[in-house]
Amino acid sequence: MRITVLGAAGGIGRALAEELAGRGHEVTAASRSISPAGHPAGVRAVTTDLRDPRQADVACRGADVVVMAAQVPYPQWHTELLPLFDAALAAAERAGARLVLVDNLYAYGSPGTPITEATPEAATSVKGRLRRDAGRRLLAAHEAGRVPVTIGRFSDYYGPGGTNSLVYQVQIRPALAGKAARAYIDADQPHSFHYLPDAARGFATLAERPEADGRIWVLPSAPALTQRQLIDLVEQAVGHPVKRGHISRPMLRVAGLVDRRLREAYELTDQWDRPYTTDASAFEAAFGPVETTPHATAIRTTVDAFRAAGHPAAA
């Protein structure tokens, strides 16, 4: 099968391109800044700006499936997110391909109960409503017969290459650098975290299975744990005691005065002050049981990968 991964330079995009290539698919890895380095042999790397239809067509030409994993920073969501999704949809339509969207859980808000596909899309945040609207637009295109669309959703992630994840930014990277690993908002709320290779396997399954089309799927993850437990695992993985800290709402508010990215993140803090967990039983009922990586193993592998890449020095 020929599969184009848009946004293949990011953490999940890179992991997904590797997973698909490992399954024997012909993979094109496309992003605004990308090189063959870091991708398996045989993966075609193409520099692509989705905003240019000609570049998008080159990346998607001949594809059976287009996976939309491209993202933009929070401050650009208000103006660029929906047009980016529309561009991916149009490119898949011109290629005559199925479209698989890599999505998060923001559309559901923070219900405090396990999130499934049946959870109401009751987001109150601007970003949550944007993700909700984007998903609905793509599913409407599916219903209209334009493009077969599948949407996969996953929670906060970590894993090798996942440098934009909160777990890396405030816990793993500081721990490797001998600084304080900080719990975000509340250290003791259960939270679902997706390990990137596990998430890549879930999205690869959706790419391979046309019967997934026309709906949303919540991807399997290892059982939820608290940030306090996660930092314990980071400490075990780095092999020495780790300083502990806490990022509170007031701290985030102050930091947001000088950093727009942090200011934009503030509206999502209610995902961290209550249970934020997922239930992927529908996915497993449709595609079979999924063996996810235990967090202890996944954190150790992630820490080892960043250490090998010299990230303590970079931090």
Side-chain angles (χ1 to χ4, degrees), residues 96-112:
R98 295 174 56 232
L99 178 66
V100 176
L101 174 65
V102 174
D103 201 5
N104 56 38
L105 304 173
Y106 293 3
Y108 301 115
S110 302

Side-chain angles (χ1 to χ4, degrees), residues 114-140:
I115 295 172
T116 73
E117 298 84 352
T119 300
E121 293 183 327
T124 57
S125 67
V126 173
K127 294 175 186 60
R129 292 194 294 267
L130 278 170
R131 302 300 300 207
R132 176 201 65 197
D133 292 347
R136 290 179 179 178
R137 283 163 74 150
L138 294 185
L139 289 176

Side-chain angles (χ1 to χ4, degrees), residues 146-158:
R146 289 180 55 193
V147 178
V149 172
T150 303
I151 298 176
R153 287 178 172 164
F154 72 136
S155 188
D156 299 275
Y157 66 83
Y158 66 88

Side-chain angles (χ1 to χ4, degrees), residues 110-115 189-192 270-277:
S110 302
T113 56
I115 295 172
Q189 296 296 332
H191 200 96
S192 286
D270 60 359
Q271 295 177 5
W272 300 91
D273 66 1
R274 66 200 71 182
Y276 195 78
T277 63

Side-chain angles (χ1 to χ4, degrees), residues 30-291:
S31 183
R32 279 186 286 186
S33 57
I34 198 165
S35 71
H39 287 290
V43 171
R44 182 173 71 109
V46 180
T47 301
T48 305
D49 187 337
L50 268 178
R51 297 169 296 184
D52 184 336
R54 291 171 298 179
Q55 292 187 36
D57 286 348
V58 168
C60 298
R61 186 177 298 136
D64 301 300
V65 181
V66 172
V67 179
M68 173 53 174
Q71 298 292 339
V72 292
Y74 278 166
Q76 299 171 26
W77 276 33
H78 308 275
T79 56
E80 295 186 25
L81 190 68
L82 292 179
L84 196 70
F85 280 38
D86 288 342
L89 178 68
E93 183 176 21
R94 291 190 296 268
R98 295 174 56 232
L99 178 66
V100 176
L101 174 65
V102 174
D103 201 5
N104 56 38
L105 304 173
Y106 293 3
Y108 301 115
S110 302
T113 56
I115 295 172
T116 73
E117 298 84 352
T119 300
E121 293 183 327
T124 57
S125 67
V126 173
K127 294 175 186 60
R129 292 194 294 267
L130 278 170
R131 302 300 300 207
R132 176 201 65 197
D133 292 347
R136 290 179 179 178
R137 283 163 74 150
L138 294 185
L139 289 176
H142 173 91
E143 291 298 325
R146 289 180 55 193
V147 178
V149 172
T150 303
I151 298 176
R153 287 178 172 164
F154 72 136
S155 188
D156 299 275
Y157 66 83
Y158 66 88
T163 55
N164 288 327
S165 72
L166 182 140
V167 173
Y168 172 74
Q169 292 286 343
V170 305
Q171 292 163 3
I172 293 176
R173 184 176 71 172
L176 283 170
K179 299 180 180 179
R182 301 181 182 272
Y184 189 72
I185 309 302
D186 191 328
D188 296 308
Q189 296 296 332
H191 200 96
S192 286
F193 293 95
H194 278 81
Y195 179 49
L196 281 177
D198 290 348
R201 285 193 289 273
F203 284 114
T205 296
L206 297 181
E208 292 174 333
R209 304 287 286 270
E211 65 267 32
D213 292 345
R215 59 164 292 178
I216 294 163
W217 302 91
V218 174
L219 269 60
S221 69
L225 75 173
T226 68
Q227 290 182 79
R228 190 180 305 276
Q229 293 170 319
L230 193 68
I231 294 173
D232 287 344
L233 295 178
V234 171
E235 183 175 76
Q236 294 172 23
V238 299
H240 58 73
V242 170
K243 300 174 186 177
R244 309 292 177 107
H246 176 232
I247 299 174
S248 65
R249 279 190 174 92
M251 291 173 62
L252 191 62
R253 181 74 81 181
V254 171
L257 296 176
V258 294
D259 189 323
R260 187 178 174 188
R261 293 171 300 173
L262 297 178
R263 186 163 66 249
E264 292 280 351
Y266 189 88
E267 68 171 348
L268 300 170
T269 54
D270 60 359
Q271 295 177 5
W272 300 91
D273 66 1
R274 66 200 71 182
Y276 195 78
T277 63
T278 56
D279 177 350
S281 55
F283 185 102
E284 294 194 301
F287 307 114
V290 175
E291 184 176 349

